[in-house]
């Protein structure tokens, strides 16, 4: 490890020479980025080797976090941070005339995820390693990650994300660890020595090749592994090739390799594509095969040893996407290792645990039976058997209650219901915030909760405060450490010690100065990128997240339109200047979400160019919201918009990132907002709108008529009409879909129902902000009470309550 700048400089220059045969002066930014990363990798690799060796020797239980998505963002900065090398490295580079931030910016974001679910997985990896826990990720090495979003004429355009084009410095291909995953074909059962053996024939083999990415713990010797699987094939169609049909010769190869080509850009918005099911089985099967292989190497391959795999291995499934882990582990234990059904079932359910991340009915995964049967014949046979045994147990418990059994069955109405498979096949089911876990227990999975009362629990989400506070907001981190010492970095609940500075005028002005500098940094980005000048003295009011009807960007947009109307009617209207900032992507096939983006951009056009309102409000839609942009945005926000329809947002994690950076939340009583309120108290958050119980009651019993609000509130009527009456400079039917979602679909997400309460809450924000001493106290209290939302807390709850793993201290040699 580097102890001095001199040593670091020397090693860096040496690396440039050995890698590229170049001097510092001749090197490009990319060369420098690659050299720096390679230097860091040398350090990491030594620790990685030690970690792997000691994991093998100590024989402690390990957890594997299976997730279709890991939204890592960039790794250079966070790796340096976790190694404790940020300062020495940045100072050494400065002396060489190099800006570390610029080198970090060379790295492409690893956008292997859609939003909250994928970023949560990335935060958990950081916390696992930082808590010295033996825990690894298993996922897919998508050739193309989350698309790049361009805004053209106000519309979202999707550009493929070719993130691997210059290579990826953090991965190591492990060709010798490849495994085969079998698709299609047919399965016959044959009696061999008194046992029924399943024989899979005529299948299509796809080679799964692992690429390992090291996950570095903060201030610990731990380096865990994120193993991402890539689909390859040795198959080559020689007959076609020798006939001169070159296209046909490669076609088949590419179709097999397509499995890991793209990330589906749908978040909470289902598109039931065959390829997605193929992806799910692909990484689940590869991941489990490699885990069982390693387990056998360490503990032996006797069936009686495999029957106890749950003592050394925990497999966690991130939502239902990897739920095929249940039948696949059954298959491996039975077909390959010779266990009987009961032993295999015992081992499987004790190994697997499951997190639910959404209650949106349309996002609950189900796959057509014939698709599962054709693509994964052996999986289907096992699922059928699980289903039959499960339904028999239900029958024993609820004799004659056909309705209940049909509702709980894993296979029904021609579909395989993945959540039912996941609940049945695991020993723990958790939601991601208290209100969400309660809704699972009382509503969405009430019958499962009755049947398996001890399986259900809550683990409120968290985010890594290292990336989202310490690294993203170094100015704030420094200030915090000056005030309360550095203990908060390892023990984030120590942030609570800041509470006593909340009313301290000197501390308040330092906090304000840090925020101001962060706002200026963002303002510069907006100016450079979009040529819009924003007022850094205005309130930065931010809604950054995926675009979705339930997240209600529409409510925010309609409120802006209303504010604009009021300013036009009364240019003297006394409001604190505000900059409304949006960021977020829409799923490619989600028409309404795309029109919401167009609406926001249309408002931006009209409002930003209307001199008559004196620049009091501005609207900015930031292109291509991703992890790196989030790191720029969160520290600069004054107001955090968390305005989902109560009960719909399982937790939210952006809410936590904003809070850590001192933004005040305007939000509904939804997801983790409720727990944020519990931590900061009502004085430090602005809550409005329907509660989850009220929303659920409307969904169940009706009783809301959008026309009552529309006709009862002239301001509401005006803005709704303005969507379609030619007021906005777009074709008259441009916003029909938004209009209809409100008026024809009876406002499914209660946008208009909550409008008046939201507008009043926004006025409250305005009043609070005018009292700067009060506002800064709120900001400080939000930072102070954000410790609970560090993912270190969440991950230790999983470790103790679900996985049964404990820390392994990695020694240096
Ligand atoms: C679901 C589906 C369903 C069908 C196919 C496409 C697709 C893609 C992604 C998803 C995941 C939806 C679940 C999800 O992302 N939930 C979010 O999880 C966050 C982490 O727990 C949580 O903070 C958010 O509130 C929740 O919406």
């Amino acid at each position: 490890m580097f102890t001095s700048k001199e040593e670091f400089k020397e090693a860096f220059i040496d690396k440039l020479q050995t890698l590229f045969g170049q001097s510092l002066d001749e090197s490009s930014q990319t060369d420098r980025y690659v050299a720096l990363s390679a230097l860091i990798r040398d350090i990491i690799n030594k620790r990685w080797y030690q970690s792997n060796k000691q994991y093998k020797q100590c024989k402690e239980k390990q957890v594997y976090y299976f997730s279709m998505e890991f939204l890592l963002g960039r790794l250079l900065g966070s790796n340096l941070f976790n190694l404790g090398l940020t300062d020495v490295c940045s100072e050494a580079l400065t002396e060489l005339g190099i800006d570390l931030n610029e080198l970090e910016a060379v790295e492409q974001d690893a956008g292997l995820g859609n939003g909250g679910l994928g970023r949560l997985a990335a935060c958990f990896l950081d916390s696992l390693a930082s808590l010295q826990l033996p825990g690894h990720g298993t996922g897919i090495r998508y050739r193309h990650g989350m698309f790049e979003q361009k805004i053209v004429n106000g519309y979202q355009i999707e550009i493929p994300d070719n993130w691997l084009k210059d290579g990826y410095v953090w991965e190591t291909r492990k060709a010798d660890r490849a495994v085969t995953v079998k698709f299609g074909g047919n399965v016959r059962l044959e009696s061999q020595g008194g046992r029924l053996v399943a024989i899979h024939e005529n299948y299509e083999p796809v080679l799964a090749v692992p690429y390992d990415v090291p996950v570095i713990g903060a201030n610990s010797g731990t380096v865990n592994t994120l193993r991402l699987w890539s689909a390859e094939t040795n198959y080559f169609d020689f007959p076609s090739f020798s006939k001169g049909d070159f296209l046909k010769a490669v076609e088949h190869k590419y179709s097999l390799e397509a499995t890991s080509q793209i990330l589906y850009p749908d978040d909470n918005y289902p598109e039931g594509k065959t390829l997605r099911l193929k992806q799910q089985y692909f990484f689940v099967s590869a991941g489990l095969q490699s885990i069982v292989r390693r387990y056998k190497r360490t503990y032996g391959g006797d069936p009686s040893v495999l029957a106890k795999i749950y003592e050394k291995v925990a497999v966690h499934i991130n939502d239902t996407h990897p739920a095929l882990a249940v039948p696949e582990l059954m298959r491996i234990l039975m077909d390959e290792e010779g266990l009987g059904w009961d032993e295999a079932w015992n081992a499987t359910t004790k190994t697997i645990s499951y997190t639910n991340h959404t209650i949106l009915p349309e996002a609950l995964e189900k796959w057509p039976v014939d698709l599962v049967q054709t693509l994964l014949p052996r999986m289907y046979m096992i699922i059928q058997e699980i289903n039959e045994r499960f339904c028999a147990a239900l029958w024993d418990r609820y004799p004659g209650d056909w309705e209940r059994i049909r509702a709980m069955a894993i296979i029904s109405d021609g579909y395989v219901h993945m959540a039912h498979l996941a609940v049945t096949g695991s020993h723990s089911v958790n939601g991601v915030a208290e209100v969400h876990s309660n809704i699972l227990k009382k509503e969405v999975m009430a019958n499962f909760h009755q049947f398996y009362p001890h399986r259900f629990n809550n683990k409120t989400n968290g985010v890594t405060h290292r990336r989202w506070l310490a690294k993203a907001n170094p100015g704030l981190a420094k200030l915090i450490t000056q005030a309360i010492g550095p203990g908060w970095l390892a023990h984030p609940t120590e942030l609570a010690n800041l509470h006593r500075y909340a009313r301290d005028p000197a501390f308040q002005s330092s906090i304000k100065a840090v925020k101001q500098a962060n706002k200026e940094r963002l303002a510069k980005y907006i100016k450079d990128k979009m040529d819009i000048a924003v007022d850094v003295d205005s309130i930065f009011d931010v809604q950054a997240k995926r675009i979705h009807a339930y997240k209600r960007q529409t409510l925010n947009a309609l409120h802006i339109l209303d504010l604009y109307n009021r300013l036009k009617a009364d240019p003297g209207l006394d409001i604190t200047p505000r900059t409304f900032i949006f960021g977020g992507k829409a799923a490619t096939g989600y028409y309404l979400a795309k029109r919401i983006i167009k609406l926001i951009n249309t408002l931006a056009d009209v409002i930003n160019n209307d001199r008559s309102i004196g620049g009091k409000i501005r609207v900015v839609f930031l292109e291509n919201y991703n992890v790196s942009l989030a790191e720029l945005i969160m520290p600069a926000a004054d107001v955090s918009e968390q305005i989902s329809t109560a009960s719909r947002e399982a937790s939210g994690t952006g809410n936590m990132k904003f809070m850590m950076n001192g933004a005040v939340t305007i939000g509904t009583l939804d997801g983790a907002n409720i727990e944020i309120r519990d931590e900061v108290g009502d004085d430090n958050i602005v809550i409005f709108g329907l509660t989850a119980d009220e929303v659920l009651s409307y969904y169940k019993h009706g009783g809301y008529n959008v026309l009552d609000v529309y006709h009862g509130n002239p301001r509401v009527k005006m803005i709704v009409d303005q969507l379609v009456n030619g007021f906005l400079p777009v074709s008259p039917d441009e916003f029909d879909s938004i209009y209809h979602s409100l008026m024809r679909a009876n406002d499914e997400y209660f946008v208009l129902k909550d409008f008046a309460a939201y507008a009043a809450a926004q006025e409250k924000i305005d009043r609070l902000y005018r009292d700067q001493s009060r506002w800064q106290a709120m900001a400080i209290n939000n930072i102070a009470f954000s410790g609970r939302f560090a993912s270190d807390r969440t991950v230790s709850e999983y470790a103790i309550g679900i996985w049964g793993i404990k820390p392994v201290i990695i020694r240096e040699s």
Side-chain angles (χ1 to χ4, degrees):
M1 276 280 265
F2 303 99
T3 43
S4 75
K5 283 186 284 185
E6 293 313 315
E7 214 182 314
F8 192 92
K9 282 197 281 191
E10 210 175 293
F12 176 67
I13 290 169
D14 191 58
K15 203 50 147 186
L16 267 177
Q17 286 172 359
T18 50
L19 275 180
F20 303 111
Q22 269 179 346
S23 71
L24 182 61
D25 297 341
E26 295 161 333
S27 62
S28 68
Q29 286 292 72
T30 307
D31 297 340
R32 293 167 179 188
Y33 161 75
V34 171
L36 177 59
S37 309
L39 197 59
I40 303 306
R41 278 227 42 175
D42 291 345
I43 301 171
I44 293 170
N45 284 354
K46 283 197 191 119
R47 296 184 175 200
W48 205 3
Y49 170 76
Q50 284 304 328
S51 297
N52 288 333
K53 191 167 100 185
Q54 287 169 44
Y55 283 159
K56 207 180 286 166
Q57 284 166 355
C58 75
K59 301 197 167 174
E60 290 291 346
K61 185 171 183 181
Q62 305 193 33
V63 67
Y64 297 87
Y65 195 81
F66 276 50
S67 178
M68 283 277 271
E69 307 189 1
F70 288 92
L71 192 42
L72 300 172
R74 293 181 178 135
L75 290 184
L76 175 57
S78 65
N79 286 346
L80 281 171
F81 182 87
N82 285 0
L83 290 167
L85 288 176
T86 310
D87 288 344
V88 71
C89 171
S90 116
E91 287 163 20
L93 289 174
T94 307
E95 288 181 12
L96 296 174
I98 300 170
D99 180 346
L100 174 59
N101 292 321
E102 286 175 17
L103 288 199
E104 283 180 32
V106 172
E107 182 170 348
Q108 294 271 333
D109 267 47
L112 309 184
N114 270 283
L117 170 132
R119 183 56 230 175
L120 186 78
C123 284
F124 280 10
L125 291 183
D126 183 78
S127 285
L128 277 163
S130 299
L131 295 168
Q132 302 177 286
L133 289 165
H136 313 281
T138 301
I140 298 174
R141 180 180 180 269
Y142 298 107
R143 180 72 187 70
H144 299 279
M146 189 63 202
F147 64 78
E148 184 191 337
Q149 178 194 54
K150 290 252 181 258
I151 302 296
V152 177
N153 188 27
Y155 297 101
Q156 166 175 298
I157 304 290
E158 300 94 13
I159 316 272
D161 165 43
N162 193 8
W163 72 293
L164 289 168
K165 65 178 184 302
D166 301 323
Y168 188 51
V169 296
W170 304 111
E171 70 182 6
T172 306
R173 179 185 159 92
K174 295 273 173 71
D176 58 324
R177 314 285 162 90
V179 300
T180 300
V181 180
K182 301 174 182 175
F183 292 100
N186 45 280
V187 178
R188 74 190 157 77
L189 294 175
E190 201 179 271
S191 176
Q192 285 179 7
R195 263 174 48 86
L196 217 48
V197 177
I199 298 172
H200 195 170
E201 294 169 322
N202 305 318
Y203 56 81
E204 209 162 43
V206 175
L207 198 65
V209 180
Y211 286 70
D212 288 354
V213 178
V215 181
I216 292 92
N219 303 312
S220 74
T222 304
V223 178
N224 290 331
T225 301
L226 168 59
R227 175 159 279 193
L228 299 173
W229 294 93
S230 175
E232 300 183 5
T233 176
N234 295 327
Y235 173 88
F236 195 80
D237 184 356
F238 283 106
S240 298
F241 187 77
S242 49
K243 271 190 265 161
D245 194 345
F246 304 128
L247 193 62
K248 184 149 181 279
V250 290
E251 233 168 33
H252 191 62
K253 177 178 165 70
Y254 286 134
S255 89
L256 292 178
E257 294 185 349
T259 312
S260 60
Q261 280 289 316
I262 56 144
L263 164 79
Y264 278 99
D266 317 318
D267 177 288
N268 272 310
Y269 187 80
E271 283 210 65
K273 295 268 163 51
T274 309
L275 187 61
R276 195 175 150 89
L277 182 63
K278 208 166 173 184
Q279 290 181 335
Q280 298 185 346
Y281 183 62
F282 169 74
F283 94 98
V284 161
S285 175
L288 287 174
Q289 287 186 55
S290 104
I291 289 167
V292 171
R293 187 173 56 192
R294 182 168 327 148
Y295 176 82
K296 283 167 65 180
R297 263 206 311 269
T298 314
Y299 301 100
D302 198 79
S304 67
V305 176
L306 280 149
K308 295 224 153 116
I309 188 168
Y310 57 87
E311 289 181 357
K312 297 296 173 187
V313 172
V315 169
H316 197 86
I317 60 175
N318 197 22
D319 215 294
T320 53
H321 319 149
L324 288 168
V326 174
E328 176 64 3
L329 187 52
M330 288 296 286
R331 182 192 70 78
I332 295 173
L333 293 176
M334 295 188 305
D335 297 359
E336 294 184 9
E337 306 301 339
L339 270 64
W341 181 278
D342 292 333
E343 277 176 310
W345 184 246
N346 179 57
T348 297
T349 51
K350 284 182 175 161
T351 301
I352 295 176
S353 49
Y354 153 61
T355 300
N356 170 287
H357 293 269
T358 183
I359 63 153
L360 291 190
E362 69 271 25
L364 294 177
E365 279 192 304
K366 52 181 189 177
W367 292 105
V369 159
D370 46 354
L371 176 62
V372 181
Q373 217 166 1
T374 321
L375 187 67
L376 308 166
R378 183 61 182 142
M379 288 298 96
Y380 188 69
M381 287 167 76
I382 295 173
I383 294 169
Q384 257 185 327
E385 182 68 25
I386 296 172
N387 184 50
E388 267 170 38
R389 289 171 186 243
F390 177 55
C391 289
L394 289 174
W395 179 262
D396 275 352
R397 171 83 180 269
Y398 310 108
D401 194 347
W402 284 112
E403 192 37 48
R404 181 191 295 260
I405 296 169
R406 197 197 51 77
M408 294 176 74
I410 296 165
I411 303 172
S412 68
D413 305 328
Y415 287 97
V416 178
H417 297 266
M418 302 308 267
H420 300 188
L421 178 63
V423 176
T424 312
S426 50
H427 62 92
S428 168
V429 179
N430 73 282
V432 290
E434 271 160 25
V435 64
H436 166 63
S437 298
N438 287 332
I439 293 172
L440 284 179
K441 284 198 275 193
K442 291 196 195 117
E443 312 274 341
V444 182
M445 294 191 175
N447 40 19
F448 282 93
H449 177 239
Q450 259 177 46
F451 192 66
Y452 300 121
H454 303 297
R455 233 167 246 200
F456 285 77
N457 64 91
N458 174 59
K459 297 284 171 280
T460 299
N461 281 166
V463 301
T464 169
H465 67 299
R466 285 170 288 276
R467 178 181 288 262
W468 295 108
L469 200 177
K471 184 180 154 292
N473 199 342
L476 179 59
K478 192 164 158 213
L479 205 58
I480 295 171
T481 298
Q482 277 167 4
I484 63 169
W488 63 277
L489 283 161
H491 307 286
T493 49
E494 283 185 23
L495 286 169
N497 292 329
L498 282 176
H499 175 55
R500 64 188 135 92
Y501 293 92
R503 291 277 167 194
D504 177 337
F507 194 73
Q508 286 190 350
S509 65
S510 310
I511 284 284
K512 188 178 163 76
V514 166
K515 182 64 77 183
Q516 199 66 17
N518 292 333
K519 286 166 78 171
E520 276 160 21
R521 186 171 65 157
L522 180 60
K524 179 171 183 311
Y525 178 89
I526 294 171
K527 178 75 192 154
D528 292 349
K529 273 260 164 186
M530 312 178 64
D531 200 26
I532 298 177
V534 298
D535 172 7
V536 287
D537 294 320
S538 66
I539 300 175
F540 276 21
D541 177 319
V542 187
Q543 187 169 20
K545 50 181 82 249
R546 289 300 290 255
I547 313 295
H548 205 297
Y550 85 82
K551 293 178 187 282
R552 299 201 295 191
Q553 281 89 359
T554 314
L555 177 57
N556 191 344
L558 288 177
H559 170 256
I560 294 170
L561 182 54
D562 171 66
L563 197 54
Y564 177 64
N565 289 336
R566 285 190 284 147
L567 277 168
K568 291 294 278 183
D570 172 13
L573 188 71
D574 184 19
I575 62 160
T576 310
R578 229 194 266 215
T579 305
F580 294 97
I581 298 169
F582 291 84
K585 292 173 182 173
T588 30
Y590 192 173
Y591 184 81
L592 179 67
K594 291 186 148 179
R595 289 300 151 123
I596 294 172
I597 292 177
K598 175 66 176 172
L599 174 62
I600 295 165
N601 283 312
T602 305
L603 291 176
D605 239 14
V606 171
I607 292 171
N608 299 348
N609 295 309
D610 186 340
R611 288 168 179 274
S612 75
I613 55 164
K616 280 185 183 161
I617 56 175
R618 284 220 157 73
V619 182
V620 176
F621 188 96
L622 285 172
E623 204 171 66
N624 200 35
Y625 179 63
N626 62 9
V627 173
S628 291
L629 187 51
E631 288 171 33
L632 187 66
I633 293 175
M634 303 291 173
D638 295 306
V639 174
S640 158
E641 297 273 352
Q642 306 301 335
I643 59 178
S644 52
T645 308
S647 81
R648 302 290 97 174
E649 188 72 274
S651 160
T653 42
N655 45 5
M656 303 169 184
K657 296 166 196 165
F658 281 109
M659 177 197 197
M660 266 177 200
N661 285 283
V664 173
T665 303
I666 180 169
T668 46
L669 287 174
D670 199 16
N673 297 351
I674 298 176
E675 289 157 74
I676 290 178
R677 184 206 48 182
D678 294 346
E679 291 293 303
V680 297
D682 284 311
D683 288 347
N684 294 302
I685 189 167
V686 177
I687 296 290
F688 72 94
L690 294 173
T691 63
D693 283 345
E694 288 166 339
V695 169
L696 292 172
S697 161
Y698 278 128
Y699 282 144
K700 241 190 224 162
H701 307 115
Y704 169 50
N705 185 345
V706 70
L707 292 177
D708 295 342
V709 181
Y710 175 80
H711 290 299
N713 183 336
R715 271 164 62 186
V716 167
K717 182 169 187 310
M718 180 163 174
I719 50 182
V720 172
D721 290 349
Q722 281 171 331
L723 290 174
V724 288
N725 69 6
F727 176 79
L728 296 168
V730 289
S731 79
D733 58 358
E734 185 75 49
F735 300 125
D736 276 3
S737 54
I738 301 177
Y739 181 85
H740 291 322
S741 75
L742 299 171
M743 301 300 286
R744 213 184 272 169
N746 197 38
D747 188 13
E748 188 186 353
Y749 294 105
F750 303 93
V751 172
L752 301 186
K753 179 84 182 154
D754 272 346
F755 182 84
Y758 179 60
Q762 286 290 20
E763 282 184 33
K764 184 170 176 188
I765 290 276
D766 186 298
R767 279 198 306 280
L768 289 165
Y769 194 82
R770 282 164 200 247
D771 180 351
Q772 269 299 299
S773 161
R774 170 85 199 275
W775 186 269
Q776 297 308 330
M778 291 174 77
I780 295 166
N781 282 327
N782 270 277
I783 302 163
F785 298 116
S786 67
R788 180 175 151 66
F789 304 105
S791 45
D792 288 4
R793 188 266 313 149
T794 314
V795 163
S796 41
E797 287 177 9
Y798 276 91
I800 296 167
I802 300 178
W803 302 327
I805 54 165
K806 47 181 199 268
V808 174
I809 314 299
I810 305 299
R811 286 164 284 105
E812 241 183 61
S813 64

